[in-house]
């Protein structure tokens, strides 16, 4: 008899522990067909597991399961968004490196410079030599003529 009373007290406090917090009521209507399906499910559950499952426990279990799945989906979506952002930042960094390499190449050889024109290269070299120190043979000849 004492074990039976102890079991009842433990069950009572175990149930009380889950419902002792502040609670709110959710009320909603369902179709007769859905209501009958739920009743049939609860009857089969009791036959299969030899434990009665109340409508309240059933609905709360479904809601908790759906919320847990939604949390997992939100976390996966946030992780995917963070990964996409990291990939975009990495791509931007790589583009910046390529752009800086291209700019340094452009400074070395401009695109509008003539390529393979020997006469133009010789003329540029002559001009550069004349401007460098004015001590080349062309300058001396001009200086002698002027005197």
């Amino acid at each position: 008899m004492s074990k039976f009373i102890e079991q009842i007290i433990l069950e009572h406090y175990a149930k009380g522990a889950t419902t002792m917090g502040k609670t709110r009521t959710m009320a909603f209507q369902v179709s007769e067909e859905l209501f009958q399906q739920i009743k049939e499910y609860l009857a089969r559950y009791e036959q299969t597991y030899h434990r009665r499952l109340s409508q309240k426990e059933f609905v709360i279990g479904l809601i908790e399961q759906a919320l847990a799945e939604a949390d997992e989906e939100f976390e996966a979506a946030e992780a995917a968004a963070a990964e996409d952002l990291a990939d975009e930042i990495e791509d931007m960094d790589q583009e910046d490196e390529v752009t800086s390499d291209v700019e340094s190449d452009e400074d070395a050889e401009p695109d509008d410079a003539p390529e393979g024109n020997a006469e133009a290269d010789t003329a540029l070299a002559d001009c550069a030599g004349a401007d460098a120190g004015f001590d080349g043979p062309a300058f001396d000849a001009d200086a002698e003529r002027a005197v």
Side-chain angles (χ1 to χ4, degrees):
M1 181 78 161
S2 65
K3 288 190 179 205
F4 178 70
I5 294 174
E6 180 182 348
Q7 182 181 358
I8 292 173
I9 292 172
L10 289 174
E11 287 178 9
H12 173 73
Y13 282 113
K15 287 182 182 178
T18 58
T19 60
M20 295 287 287
K22 185 176 181 177
T23 60
R24 302 289 303 254
T25 301
M26 290 184 68
F28 50 91
Q29 294 181 340
V30 296
S31 69
E32 181 65 30
E33 182 181 322
L34 180 59
F35 185 78
Q36 290 305 319
Q37 286 178 335
I38 293 170
K39 287 288 193 185
E40 290 171 8
Y41 171 81
L42 294 174
R44 283 185 303 190
Y45 184 90
E46 188 173 356
Q47 288 175 351
T48 304
Y49 298 105
H50 307 291
R51 180 176 102 67
R52 184 177 172 274
L53 181 65
S54 70
Q55 290 177 16
K56 177 182 174 182
E57 291 172 323
F58 175 67
V59 171
I60 289 174
L62 291 175
I63 292 170
E64 289 173 341
Q65 179 183 358
L67 290 174
E69 290 173 3
D71 282 343
E72 290 175 5
E73 290 176 11
F74 289 142
E75 289 174 3
E78 289 173 349
E83 185 177 317
D84 289 345
L85 180 62
D87 289 344
E88 287 178 21
I89 291 172
E90 183 178 319
D91 290 344
M92 290 173 55
D93 288 344
Q94 289 176 353
E95 288 176 6
D96 288 345
E97 289 176 10
V98 169
T99 303
S100 65
D101 289 345
V102 169
E103 287 175 357
S104 64
D105 288 346
E106 288 176 356
D107 291 342
E109 264 186 58
D111 289 340
D112 58 350
E115 294 180 15
N117 189 340
E119 292 177 16
D121 291 342
T122 304
L124 286 173
D126 289 344
C127 289
D131 292 339
F134 299 106
D135 57 359
F139 179 75
D140 291 338
D142 290 341
E144 288 179 19
R145 285 187 205 135
V147 174

